[in-house]
Amino acid sequence: MCGIVGYIGYRDAYPIIIKGLHRLEYRGYDSAGIALFDKQLKVFKKAGKVSDLENFVKDIDLGGSIGMGHTRWATHGAPSDRNSHPHSSGDRKLTIIHNGIIENYGIIKETLINKGHIFKSDTDTEVLIHLVEDIQDETGLDLREAVRAALNKVIGAYAIVIMSADEPDLLIAARKGSPMVIGVGKGEYLIASDATPIVEYTKNVIYLNDNEIAFVRREDLLIKNIDNTVQTPYIHELDLQLEMLEKGGYEHFMLKEIYEQPRSIRDCMRGRIYPQEGKVQLGGIKEYTEKLKNIDRIIIVACGTSWHAGLVGEYLIEEYARVPVEVEYASEFRYRNPIITEKDLVIAISQSGETADTMAAIELAKEKGATIFGICNVVGASIPRTTHAGVYTHAGPEIGVASTKAFTAQVTVLTLMAFYIAQQRGAITQSKLVEHLTGLNEIPELVERALKSDDHIKKIAAKFKDSSNCLFLGRGSSFPVALEGALKLKEISYIHAEGYPAAEMKHGPIALIDDSMPVVFIATKDSSYEKVVSNIQEVKARKGHVIAIVTEGDTEVKGMADYVIEIPQSDEAFVPLLATIPLQLLAYHIAVMRGCNVDQPRNLAKSVTVE
């Protein structure tokens, strides 16, 4: 989950690296460090955020046109100056930054200690750079070959950049299981965990593949695989604008991204639905049309917010396409020897396209012969390159660690998939498809209307900002929305919150309800409405405080709830896209009122690239 950035070229490296670290800070922010070469190799690092590193080095000469930086999400070793990256070899001539986990570092470390190596940190990363040094000392190999030999000895995931005091015109970068992008400029190259630090300087990028090593100089780039075979890279052109990476006048990225949802949902549907014709077109999976007609089962694998989107997808696909669906936590999927056949379709969902647990689930499903589709936001990420086919969400960069527009974009794609599969299997009439697609096409406008409740939601947030616990309840496809609402609140405000199916409240959670417990209901006018009304009455009878998400014009729930937030009337299938908006805003305002850092909540990182 850590963020790495490197630069070699004709510009001063430090300003590029520090700006890049700020843009990558959503990947981890418990410590940061830089390495620069200007007559000598210099390393500076500090526990805390990137701004703490900036203050630490503000009076130091930071010249040099080659360097690298790192912002950390701790795995091995607590956040501290000594565990911050970069890490150096024993002779201080080599230094490394690393995103990932070296699983066999303990055995290697013990061997190196027995040879006299002294370690100054608790990290697996320091072990790797000492291993490179040890190989050089024992074999006399040059740095390139020593790095390749070291990587052949390690087990785990890594994206690394290495600098050497003896070769000040070289950056060595390598990846396995962790993302790495190389920006190709004129007389300069940039290396980063994703494209956000690169787009300001070049639109041309190379996505490094697993088991590839890049040897980067100012004027040339050589890529080999770990077996020493030269690779021919493909240069992609970034479809990313610099203004997408700025707050645009909003106080936080999260708030900006909540307000971007009318556009991101529209972008997700653009060119894919034709309401008047009753037609869904998904070019990314078109060649698997015959497969979709004959699948026995769909398995959705995902983590966190993406798992909640998958649950919504389960309701939609089963309702309209009439295919059985199972939704699995990717982190648990491969540890229970799941039954998978060639007649199964596996849909893997990940905003970043780099989620390690989801990648592992994909590999297992491929071994079993299943067809794999990906749903991903980041073009060129690992999941779209690993799956057989898939659909991009086109939500644009999401910088806030707590997903908002990524969730609604994933739900939108799953809705399109549900109708597409239904269309291919003949499970839905043309007239029904026209009706549903016409309603779906109106959702961006309805989301804009839902956002107009922001000031009202802010007032409700002020009433509950000091709560210690909160329940979120919903039925049908609103149950995953309740789960997502609870996750948003706990992620960014640190209030304990749980989501439940409303009917399950009676089977345990009702014991928690008293006059200090806020209970959020998704109580829209749908097929479960009367049942939810009964659940609200049960909570009110026990003096719980009810916040209800209701359909515009509802008077029945309004008469019994303490607070109501209205959303526009829509087809029941699309309620998750609308009901999630007020829950995002409620969590956001409560967190801000509690003084929390909503864009960088404690202990979390945006892209979970370690298991």
Side-chain angles (χ1 to χ4, degrees):
M1 274 107 72
C2 306
I4 63 177
V5 59
Y7 176 80
I8 182 169
Y10 58 87
R11 312 175 200 245
D12 285 340
Y14 173 75
I16 295 169
I17 292 167
I18 207 72
K19 186 183 293 184
L21 291 182
H22 277 296
R23 289 189 179 149
L24 290 173
E25 199 166 19
Y26 67 88
R27 299 180 64 90
Y29 33 83
D30 58 49
S31 61
I34 55 170
L36 301 164
F37 189 92
D38 183 22
K39 299 180 182 177
Q40 61 179 334
L41 188 59
K42 298 176 285 189
V43 175
F44 308 98
K45 52 189 186 175
K46 194 71 177 169
K49 296 186 181 294
V50 174
S51 57
D52 295 310
L53 173 66
E54 279 187 287
N55 290 330
F56 179 62
V57 300
K58 64 182 180 181
D59 297 322
I60 299 173
D61 179 11
L62 299 170
S65 56
I66 177 174
M68 61 188 188
H70 185 275
T71 179
R72 183 173 185 249
W73 186 84
T75 51
H76 291 83
S80 64
D81 291 354
R82 64 191 293 270
N83 287 329
S84 306
H85 296 217
H87 291 286
S88 299
S89 57
D91 62 9
R92 315 300 292 174
K93 290 185 177 182
L94 303 175
T95 190
I96 186 173
I97 53 176
H98 170 218
N99 172 32
I101 290 179
I102 306 302
E103 295 175 9
N104 61 336
Y105 84 102
I107 296 171
I108 297 171
K109 185 174 185 177
E110 184 178 348
T111 301
L112 292 173
I113 288 173
N114 290 337
K115 290 182 177 183
H117 286 257
I118 299 172
F119 293 92
K120 298 183 177 180
S121 78
D122 306 313
T123 69
D124 54 338
T125 306
E126 188 185 10
V127 174
L128 178 54
I129 199 65
H130 275 255
L131 178 59
V132 174
E133 177 189 25
D134 188 70
I135 291 171
Q136 278 196 291
D137 290 344
E138 289 200 346
T139 65
L141 291 172
D142 68 14
L143 180 59
R144 296 160 188 76
E145 285 301 302
V147 170
R148 192 170 69 85
L151 295 179
N152 271 301
K153 291 178 179 289
V154 301
I155 299 169
Y158 56 78
I160 61 169
V161 182
I162 292 175
M163 291 175 62
S164 169
D166 292 336
E167 296 195 56
D169 191 36
L170 175 69
L171 290 175
I172 298 179
R175 74 154 281 180
K176 180 183 179 183
S178 294
M180 178 167 284
V181 185
I182 300 175
V184 181
K186 294 181 179 179
E188 63 181 350
Y189 290 92
L190 297 98
I191 302 167
S193 296
D194 63 40
T196 54
I198 293 173
V199 65
E200 185 172 346
Y201 307 99
T202 179
K203 292 280 190 173
N204 297 321
V205 299
I206 296 166
Y207 294 99
L208 211 60
N209 294 313
D210 272 356
N211 297 310
E212 287 186 341
I213 308 172
F215 306 100
V216 189
R217 296 185 180 275
R218 284 174 173 80
E219 299 295 337
D220 63 82
L221 168 68
L222 174 65
I223 297 176
K224 293 184 175 183
N225 65 18
I226 204 163
D227 296 323
N228 211 30
T229 303
V230 174
Q231 306 295 294
T232 302
Y234 177 76
I235 297 178
H236 300 253
E237 184 173 349
L238 289 174
D239 182 21
L240 179 65
Q241 305 303 318
L242 191 59
E243 56 267 25
M244 294 179 179
L245 307 177
E246 307 298 336
K247 290 181 183 175
Y250 289 91
E251 186 178 356
H252 298 97
F253 279 110
M254 184 180 178
L255 187 60
K256 177 194 176 193
E257 288 154 8
I258 290 171
Y259 271 84
E260 284 178 340
Q261 287 174 108
R263 178 196 58 76
S264 59
I265 293 172
R266 177 67 70 194
D267 287 348
C268 186
M269 293 192 295
R270 182 174 287 115
R272 292 171 171 169
I273 66 167
Y274 300 87
Q276 293 180 339
E277 300 173 37
K279 179 182 175 183
V280 180
Q281 185 170 297
L282 297 176
I285 60 175
K286 185 178 180 180
E287 65 180 285
Y288 287 86
T289 297
E290 288 304 313
K291 177 77 175 182
L292 291 173
K293 292 178 181 178
N294 297 296
I295 53 173
D296 288 342
R297 176 179 62 157
I298 293 173
I299 303 169
I300 297 175
V301 292
C303 299
T305 285
S306 297
W307 185 77
H308 296 157
L311 288 175
V312 177
E314 177 183 17
Y315 283 92
L316 295 171
I317 293 169
E318 290 194 341
E319 173 70 21
Y320 297 107
R322 306 308 297 158
V323 181
V325 179
E326 298 175 12
V327 185
E328 302 272 2
Y329 282 114
S331 55
E332 291 294 321
F333 185 63
R334 69 182 180 124
Y335 292 109
R336 62 171 184 79
N337 194 20
I339 299 170
I340 308 169
T341 74
E342 294 178 357
K343 296 277 282 181
D344 291 330
L345 170 67
V346 174
I347 300 176
I349 311 174
S350 167
Q351 188 280 141
S352 67
E354 303 290 350
T355 308
D357 290 316
T358 308
M359 288 287 293
I362 289 170
E363 292 301 328
L364 174 62
K366 286 178 80 172
E367 290 171 9
K368 302 278 189 178
T371 300
I372 321 293
F373 287 177
I375 296 177
C376 176
N377 189 37
V378 181
V379 176
S382 295
I383 284 177
R385 286 187 286 155
T386 304
T387 50
H388 294 111
V391 182
Y392 284 112
T393 56
H394 298 308
E398 189 177 64
I399 307 301
V401 166
S403 282
T404 50
K405 66 177 180 175
F407 174 75
T408 50
Q410 289 167 353
V411 170
T412 301
V413 164
L414 287 162
T415 305
L416 295 174
M417 278 189 168
F419 290 134
Y420 183 80
I421 297 169
Q423 176 182 277
Q424 301 307 319
R425 294 170 69 95
I428 189 170
T429 65
Q430 192 66 14
S431 60
K432 276 292 182 184
L433 200 50
V434 169
E435 178 186 331
H436 288 310
L437 294 183
T438 300
L440 181 59
N441 197 46
E442 295 170 353
I443 289 298
E445 180 185 339
L446 299 185
V447 170
E448 284 188 10
R449 284 171 53 189
L451 287 166
K452 291 179 180 178
S453 296
D454 192 9
D455 288 341
H456 173 57
I457 294 167
K458 190 174 183 179
K459 292 175 183 176
I460 296 173
K463 302 285 186 180
F464 296 102
K465 66 181 178 63
D466 296 320
S467 298
S468 300
N469 301 281
C470 188
L471 284 177
F472 289 74
L473 302 174
R475 284 178 178 254
S477 61
S478 291
F479 162 52
V481 177
L483 290 173
E484 177 61 12
L487 178 62
K488 285 292 138 313
L489 186 64
K490 72 179 79 171
E491 277 183 314
I492 62 172
S493 75
Y494 319 136
I495 292 173
H496 174 250
E498 297 295 339
Y500 280 91
E504 285 296 303
M505 177 187 64
K506 298 187 293 293
H507 299 282
I510 198 168
L512 299 173
I513 295 173
D514 59 19
D515 59 7
S516 65
M517 173 69 83
V519 183
V520 180
F521 278 92
I522 296 94
T524 53
K525 284 285 184 73
D526 56 30
S527 57
S528 299
Y529 178 73
E530 296 301 332
K531 297 292 186 183
V532 173
V533 168
S534 296
N535 297 141
I536 292 173
Q537 290 171 331
E538 290 164 351
V539 170
K540 289 303 296 177
R542 288 153 181 84
K543 300 182 180 180
H545 298 284
V546 172
I547 305 165
I549 311 300
V550 303
T551 305
E552 280 179 342
D554 184 298
T555 56
E556 185 174 356
V557 172
K558 191 173 185 179
M560 64 181 71
D562 297 281
Y563 306 92
V564 296
I565 303 168
E566 294 187 335
I567 60 173
Q569 171 73 48
S570 75
D571 188 300
E572 184 172 344
F574 313 134
V575 165
L577 290 169
L578 297 173
T580 195
I581 303 300
L583 301 185
Q584 292 171 350
L585 288 168
L586 183 67
Y588 170 80
H589 288 303
I590 287 175
V592 170
M593 291 173 186
R594 289 168 66 92
C596 301
N597 186 336
V598 296
D599 284 338
Q600 296 175 354
R602 69 188 182 204
N603 302 332
L604 297 179
K606 185 70 176 173
S607 178
V608 184
T609 57
V610 296
E611 291 187 58

